[in-house]
Amino acid sequence: MIAGLLLAAGGGRRLGGRPKALLPYRGRPLVENAVRVLREAGCGPLHVVLGASAAEVRARADLAGCVVVDNPAWQEGMGSSLRVGLASLAGTGAAAVLVCLVDQPGIGAAAVARVRGAYRSPASLAAAAYDGERGHPVLFGADRWADITATATGDRGARDHLARHAHELVLVECADVAAAFDIDTPSDLAHLD
């Protein structure tokens, strides 16, 4: 069982404070697209970490079938959301988790399924690559969660863990099936059309 973990807590500071989870994409909130992608890629259970405007996201987005958890410290950065998300997966029996970011709509189910396919054991460590450069999504076997939780801080997320274990990291090329852009600034909103 490979769980899907969607980090969707960001407040969109560079977007004028518009929560990324609620940005419109194909007529629905961006968070719904990301959940659909994880589901279509065969991930389950699906856990979604909310932060900025969490109550509004819950009210406006269809997150049926997901475990939705709030990160009260979302302003501390992605590391805090990763810690909250991994904690929510304790006891689920998941052998690994595939972590996606809400603000990357160019990464679809084909890329997520490819990275999911790199799972070999609870010690697995894999990430999508785009022309050889590491990106998202990232797959963490359950044996790695405690170390990631202990070291994930600020906006670095799991970068420290990935750097320390670079020799174990399996890169899964996805540039042929996905585009790894982020929605961070007003000019990036053009990607949502």
Side-chain angles (χ1 to χ4, degrees), residues 6 14 16 20 22 27 32 34 45 51 60 62 85 88 92 109 123 141 170 177 179 190:
L6 177 62
R14 290 179 283 176
K20 292 183 179 185
L22 289 175
E32 289 182 16
R60 291 181 45 200
D62 179 3
S88 75
T92 63
V170 175
V177 294

Side-chain angles (χ1 to χ4, degrees), residues 70-147:
D70 290 335
N71 175 10
W74 64 269
Q75 291 176 308
E76 292 177 11
M78 190 190 327
S80 65
S81 290
L82 185 56
R83 290 192 309 269
V84 166
L86 290 175
S88 75
L89 287 164
T92 63
V97 64
L98 213 146
V99 180
C100 288
L101 307 180
V102 75
D103 66 347
Q104 294 186 318
I107 299 174
V112 175
R114 234 182 235 183
V115 176
R116 184 183 180 280
Y119 174 80
R120 297 293 176 267
S121 76
S124 289
L125 183 63
Y130 301 90
D131 298 321
E133 295 293 318
R134 180 178 52 81
H136 284 90
V138 182
L139 181 137
F140 300 113
D143 289 354
R144 298 183 178 275
W145 298 357
D147 183 61

Side-chain angles (χ1 to χ4, degrees), residues 29-56:
L30 195 55
V31 67
E32 289 182 16
N33 175 71
V35 165
R36 179 188 54 76
V37 165
L38 283 165
R39 192 171 280 131
E40 288 179 1
C43 295
L46 301 181
H47 287 223
V48 179
V49 179
L50 300 179
S53 303
E56 186 181 358

Side-chain angles (χ1 to χ4, degrees), residues 139-167:
L139 181 137
F140 300 113
D143 289 354
R144 298 183 178 275
W145 298 357
D147 183 61
I148 293 166
T149 298
T151 59
T153 58
D155 274 328
R156 293 186 56 76
R159 285 186 202 144
D160 291 342
H161 183 87
L162 291 167
R164 280 195 324 276
H165 298 277
H167 61 286

